[in-house]
Amino acid sequence: MATPNHTSPSHSLFILLGIPGLEDQHTWISLPFFLSYLVAVLGNSLLVFIIMTERSLHEPMYFFLCMLGVADLILSTTTVPKALAIFWFHAGEISLDGCVTQIFFIHATFIAESGILLAMAFDRYVAICDPLRYTTVLSQAVIIRVGLAVVLRSFSVILPDVFLVKRLPFCHSNVLPHTYCEHMAVAKFACADIRVNVWYGLSVLLSTVVVDALLILVSYIFILNAVFRLPSPGARQKALGTCGSHLGVISMFYLPGIFTIIAQRFGHQVPPYIHILLANVCMLAPPMLNPIIYGVKTRQIRECVVSTLSSLWKLC
């Protein structure tokens, strides 16, 4: 580990390069970023608006989906506008406080989304395995408590990251080869021992996202076991259909992250820009695709979207 150099001033300003190695392609790369962000903002805003205003959608599954939409809006807005500023205006400057703020909201929102997906898996488990007690188990009070628990967990486990990064002296390069600030990517530029950052970051990942993924897997084992014991093929198909959207969203959340981890661990010969692009897919894909998946797969939401857009069209 590097030893601290107290004779050098610590940087308070960083430069985000965007996607190193592809600087001459930044204008073209910005197009999918902009379109993805536009779809994410419009899609999730419409989804949240419809769920909040349509009384027929005031059910546990849709409330959790509304929470996911809000988290997607925060996640995409925390990262994409800055990336577009880099691509379009070469505005890569970001203060240490701005960088730490971005780290906090990216990681807190990511963990919150993992918790929401776990809550949605539990919702599907109760709906399929214990349908008679569905409204009792998932009452409005329970949904509020689950939402608060998700937010408090994500904020409490990520808040130490703020202090772990702020304590570090940055006396080496202040140029970050990325489109956004990420905890370990920033910590690696410190001229101090970062083992605490490494181990704390790993413990947070294992105790939140990994545990959530395992619990989701267990819940779907019980769900599939209950589904395949249903007497009629029609009932089985209907039960599986209610889980299809959730499974699609889970795939969009976890698979890009898994590919990124594999590439970082084993892809030492992979060009750096591939790692950066994969990391950005984790930020872009879920917020963009989640409202599309639920809009296409869920009849109630699809009908409400069509009705809302028709009403807006008549007003225009």
Side-chain angles (χ1 to χ4, degrees), residues 138-156:
L138 288 169
S139 63
Q140 187 172 2
V142 170
I143 294 170
I144 292 172
R145 285 197 289 267
V146 169
L148 289 175
V150 166
V151 172
L152 289 175
R153 184 187 72 159
S154 61
F155 272 56
S156 62

Side-chain angles (χ1 to χ4, degrees), residues 4-5 14 74 81-82 105 115 118 142 175 206-207 212 227 252 260 284 290:
N5 184 354
F14 293 92
I74 295 172
K82 183 60 180 178
F105 279 103
L118 175 59
V142 170
V175 178
L206 292 175
S207 62
D212 290 347
V227 166
M252 286 299 100
T260 300
L284 291 170
N290 287 350

Side-chain angles (χ1 to χ4, degrees), residues 121-132 134 138 242:
F122 179 69
D123 168 82
R124 292 299 85 201
Y125 167 77
V126 177
I128 293 174
C129 298
D130 196 5
L132 296 179
Y134 180 70
L138 288 169
T242 62

